[in-house]
Amino acid sequence: MSGDNLLKILKESRYTTVLSGFGMLLENGYPSIRDGDMSYDIEEKYGYSMEEMFSSAFYSTRKEQFYEFYRNEMLSQLETPPGKGFMEMAELQRRGMFQCIITRRIYGLPDRAGCWNVINLHGSVYDNFCPHCGKKYPMEYVRDSARVPLCEDCKTPVRPRVCLFGEMVDNGVITRAAEEILKADVLLVLGSHLNSYLCNQLINYYEGDKLILVNETPHYAERLANIIIHERVDRLLEQLRIKLG
C-alpha cells in the first residue's frame, strides 16, 4: 500500500486510534533491557533478572535494590528525548490525523513529544505517589533520591504509578482504551505485530474494517490486519507529514 492511499484513509477517517508498540521505542534508541546482551549484563550486575527486579514481589521485599535498578537502568533512559517517530506522530495528531494514542510503554514518549489523549496502559515513570497519604511526586524526586524515596509528609516509600510484573492493569484504564478502540473507524498499529501483548489485549474491541499494521518486520499474525505496510514507523510518518504539506 502506498503512503498516498494511507493518507487518503486517514483524511477520510472520522476517528483514528493508534496503538504505539515496542518497535517505536527501539527506533527511538531505547534498548530492550529484557533481551540480548543487556539482560545478561543486568543479571550479572545485580544478581537478579530484569523480570525479577521489576516485579511487585521484589518491590515489596527489596525496595532499596528495586530503586537502585530502577534509577540506574530505567530512569537513565529518559536522557534520550522523543525521536522522529514520536515527533511526527504528534504533528500528525495536531493536523487531525489521529485522535487517540495507546501504549504500554512507561517512558511517556508520546506525551513528551506533544501528543494528547494518550492512554499509558502500564502507567508512567513521571507519575509517582505516596501510597499512604496520596501526595504526588515528580520523576525527578525519585531519580535524585539517594536510596528509597520517602514521602516528605508521612515518610512512606514513594511509588511509581507503573504496572510491575505480577500486577494487573487497572480496569479503568483498560475500559477507557477499549472505548477508544470501539469508536474508531481506523485502528492504526505502529511498531508491533498483532500477536503482541498490546494487541492481544485490545484489537478484539475493534469493530471496523480498517485495521492497518505498520511494522518493519513481517510476522505470521499480520494476516489479521486489513492493510499491511512493512516500513519503519518513523519514516512512514515522516512521509505522511510531508505529503500533507
Side-chain angles (χ1 to χ4, degrees):
M1 184 185 190
S2 70
D4 288 330
N5 290 336
L6 175 57
L7 189 59
K8 182 175 185 294
I9 290 172
L10 293 175
K11 283 182 174 180
E12 293 175 351
S13 171
R14 174 188 53 81
Y15 203 93
T16 295
T17 296
V18 174
L19 297 183
S20 173
F22 186 54
M24 290 194 70
L25 202 71
L26 293 177
E27 287 180 3
N28 204 104
Y30 278 61
S32 176
I33 63 176
R34 295 181 64 182
D35 302 308
D37 292 340
M38 191 168 183
S39 66
Y40 294 118
D41 292 342
I42 286 174
E43 190 158 356
E44 185 174 343
K45 181 177 179 180
Y46 297 98
Y48 299 94
S49 69
M50 184 270 184
E51 287 86 351
E52 287 177 290
M53 286 185 287
F54 200 61
S55 69
S56 56
F58 200 90
Y59 174 83
S60 298
T61 59
R62 300 177 179 87
K63 283 186 175 60
E64 193 158 330
Q65 289 171 287
F66 172 89
Y67 276 108
E68 180 188 7
F69 161 77
Y70 182 68
R71 281 191 297 266
N72 293 344
E73 311 301 337
M74 303 195 75
L75 294 188
S76 65
Q77 303 303 327
L78 301 178
E79 296 172 6
T80 302
K84 182 167 70 173
F86 292 100
M87 300 304 291
E88 297 289 0
M89 186 162 66
E91 179 60 26
L92 288 168
Q93 188 177 32
R94 281 191 287 272
R95 299 192 186 195
M97 297 297 101
F98 309 145
Q99 280 65 53
C100 177
I101 315 295
I102 302 173
T103 182
R104 285 179 61 223
R105 305 302 149 192
I106 63 175
Y107 296 111
L109 287 164
D111 308 79
R112 290 159 62 196
C115 295
W116 64 93
N117 196 21
V118 178
I119 301 176
N120 295 293
L121 289 174
H122 285 193
S124 169
V125 298
Y126 289 92
D127 185 3
N128 303 277
F129 70 105
C130 172
H132 180 70
C133 70
K135 185 173 181 177
K136 295 183 178 181
Y137 290 89
M139 177 276 296
E140 291 79 6
Y141 185 82
V142 176
R143 182 196 64 195
D144 298 340
S145 61
R147 300 175 70 177
V148 176
L150 299 179
C151 176
E152 295 172 323
D153 293 341
C154 65
K155 306 308 178 186
T156 300
V158 172
R159 215 210 114 133
R161 201 184 300 274
V162 298
C163 190
L164 302 175
F165 291 120
E167 295 178 331
M168 300 292 291
V169 178
D170 182 84
N171 281 335
V173 176
I174 287 290
T175 298
R176 184 182 162 209
E179 290 171 348
E180 290 289 349
I181 290 174
L182 275 169
K183 64 185 178 184
D185 50 337
V186 174
L187 180 60
L188 183 60
V189 179
L190 300 177
S192 176
H193 57 77
L194 296 185
N195 201 35
S196 68
Y197 185 76
L198 172 68
C199 293
N200 272 337
Q201 271 189 307
L202 297 172
I203 61 172
N204 287 336
Y205 293 106
Y206 181 58
E207 297 179 343
D209 60 359
K210 294 183 180 66
L211 172 51
I212 303 172
L213 173 67
V214 180
N215 199 34
E216 189 173 20
T217 306
H219 189 275
Y220 72 89
E222 66 188 22
R223 58 185 171 76
L224 300 172
N226 301 115
I227 298 168
I228 303 160
I229 302 174
H230 292 143
E231 176 65 275
R232 279 181 61 104
V233 174
D234 51 7
R235 289 175 189 158
L236 180 69
L237 296 185
E238 180 182 38
Q239 292 167 18
L240 294 178
R241 190 255 309 160
I242 290 171
K243 289 177 185 296
L244 270 174

